[in-house]
Each structure stands twice: as structure tokens, then as C-alpha cells.
Amino acid sequence: MIQVKSFVFNPFLENTYVLFDETKECIIIDPGCYEKFEQDSLKAFIDENGLKVVRLLNTHCHIDHVFGNYWAKTTFGVDLEIHEFDAATLLAVKAYAPSYGFQHFQESTADKFLKETDKIKFGNSELEIMFVPGHAPGHIAFYNKEEKICIGGDVLFQGSIGRTDLPGGDFDTLIHSIKTKMFLLDDDTVVYCGHGASTTIGEEKMHNPFCGINS
């Protein structure tokens, strides 16, 4: 059974996730840990629970989701995996990080590119990949149908959606991704969002003001 541990990191209050199962193998998704104390808290959880990091994934590559990529790669000896369409998004971070006040951002390039047909395997567990652009051109989400969990990044939030005014964003594309991919999941699927509280597919289909049935 997959367990999901969340951490809230950096001034953007970004959600970083560690997923693990009974084998103690785990994956890190969107390491937003910029400060040393944030990195220490993530590593302490992994060490104290006897976990082995086997994969490092980004749902997308905006600055708040990639602060800890370099640290995680070098600390745990894993490759960074993203969607190819977000490679330029990742490369751009180094140029604009100082203007946001992050003078010590450590750049890390992708080692592997993920496709929607790939599977994310760790321990006895497996996640499907959904390509859901709109917030970012290479945005992906990770989904397990049996356990009804989705690590959704910044596509769908509790009562909201990802912003589309950043480079590579597009409102119509995002709404299409939500309605043709996210909303096809079971209503009781829990969506672990890139910011804020988790929600369910059914809740957002019914009540989300941007993409729900009454929008």
C-alpha cells in the first residue's frame, strides 16, 4: 500500500511529496526544499523511516517545485526525471531565480524524460503518468487507480486551478487537461495538490468554479 508524506517548503508554500510502500523504497516528487533546514527535515524523515530513495520526479519545473533537485540528486544518488516539454522551463530557472531573491539556487538538468506511456515503479507499487499541460508545457501527474491517489502538481487545486499567466501557460489547454484527463478519474480519487490542501475529483467536478459542472 502506498503511503504519502507531504512537506510544505519555501516561501511559495509548495507541497513536496514522498511516496513509499512496505518495501521501504520511496520516490520524491517536486522537492521544493531550498533552505538547509528544509533539506534536513526531508532527509530526517527518509532516514528515520529506513527509506531508500529510488526515483526523483518533477510534475513540472517552475522554480518552487525544483529548488531541491540538485540537493536530492546528489544526496540520494538518483536521476532527475521530467517530461521533455518542460526541459526549457527547468533551464530557465537559473536565470530568473536571483530576481526572486534566491541567490544560491543550484541548477540541475534532467537525466531522463518521461512519457505518458511510461510507468513509475518503486517497491511493489506503480504509478501511471498523465500528460496534463496548461499550467506548464510539460506538466505531468502521477496516478494509482487501485489506491485512488493522484499527485497532481499545479493543475487542479481545492476550489481552484493552476495559474496560466506564466510563460508556457494556457488557460484553454489547462481546462482541457482537467476535463479530459483528471475528471476521468474515479470521483473518490484523492488529489494531492502542489499547494494547499488535498481534494477529491468528485468535489472539484461538482464545485470547482473554473472547471466544475456549474462553471
Side-chain angles (χ1 to χ4, degrees):
M1 181 175 180
I2 297 174
Q3 297 188 59
V4 180
K5 171 65 176 178
S6 64
F7 300 82
V8 180
F9 288 143
N10 69 59
F12 299 98
L13 302 179
E14 179 265 357
N15 291 330
T16 292
Y17 293 101
V18 176
L19 276 61
F20 59 100
D21 66 13
E22 62 278 0
T23 69
K24 299 293 187 177
E25 287 194 351
C26 75
I27 61 175
I28 299 173
I29 301 178
D30 291 349
C33 42
Y34 178 75
E35 302 289 351
K36 185 178 185 301
F37 75 89
E38 296 175 330
Q39 297 166 357
D40 288 346
S41 68
L42 178 53
K43 189 173 189 302
F45 175 82
I46 290 169
D47 291 345
E48 289 167 4
N49 288 276
L51 303 180
K52 178 184 178 182
V53 181
V54 295
R55 305 189 77 156
L56 171 62
L57 315 172
N58 288 161
T59 59
H60 67 294
C61 297
H62 289 149
I63 186 171
D64 49 329
H65 292 255
V66 306
F67 279 127
N69 278 349
Y70 177 84
W71 171 82
K73 280 182 64 171
T74 56
T75 299
F76 302 109
V78 288
D79 290 337
L80 173 61
E81 304 177 62
I82 70 172
H83 193 282
E84 186 174 11
F85 289 177
D86 239 38
T89 309
L90 179 60
L91 290 174
V93 176
K94 183 180 180 180
Y96 69 76
S99 67
Y100 280 81
F102 300 101
Q103 305 295 332
H104 305 294
F105 173 75
Q106 292 179 289
E107 183 181 28
S108 180
T109 56
D111 300 292
K112 296 180 180 178
F113 292 127
L114 297 168
K115 303 184 297 294
E116 194 169 37
T117 53
D118 292 335
K119 306 292 184 183
I120 303 299
K121 298 180 180 180
F122 61 102
N124 296 325
S125 304
E126 183 175 283
L127 301 173
E128 299 178 29
I129 298 173
M130 294 189 297
F131 178 54
V132 283
H135 175 69
H139 201 303
I140 50 179
F142 304 101
Y143 168 61
N144 182 284
K145 180 176 176 61
E146 291 72 28
E147 301 193 32
K148 300 182 185 298
I149 61 173
C150 177
I151 310 299
D154 288 1
V155 174
L156 183 66
F157 296 123
Q158 185 182 67
S160 190
I161 59 173
R163 60 188 296 179
T164 56
D165 58 339
L166 300 172
D170 183 82
F171 179 82
D172 291 340
T173 300
L174 180 62
I175 297 300
H176 183 264
S177 291
I178 293 170
K179 291 188 174 181
T180 64
K181 297 287 182 68
M182 303 288 282
F183 279 1
L184 296 187
L185 306 182
D186 293 339
D187 282 355
D188 55 349
T189 299
V190 177
V191 180
Y192 292 92
C193 309
H195 303 267
S198 59
T199 186
T200 65
I201 292 297
E203 176 70 17
E204 300 314 311
K205 284 167 69 173
M206 287 296 297
H207 302 296
N208 192 291
F210 298 94
C211 53
I213 58 173
N214 296 317
S215 62

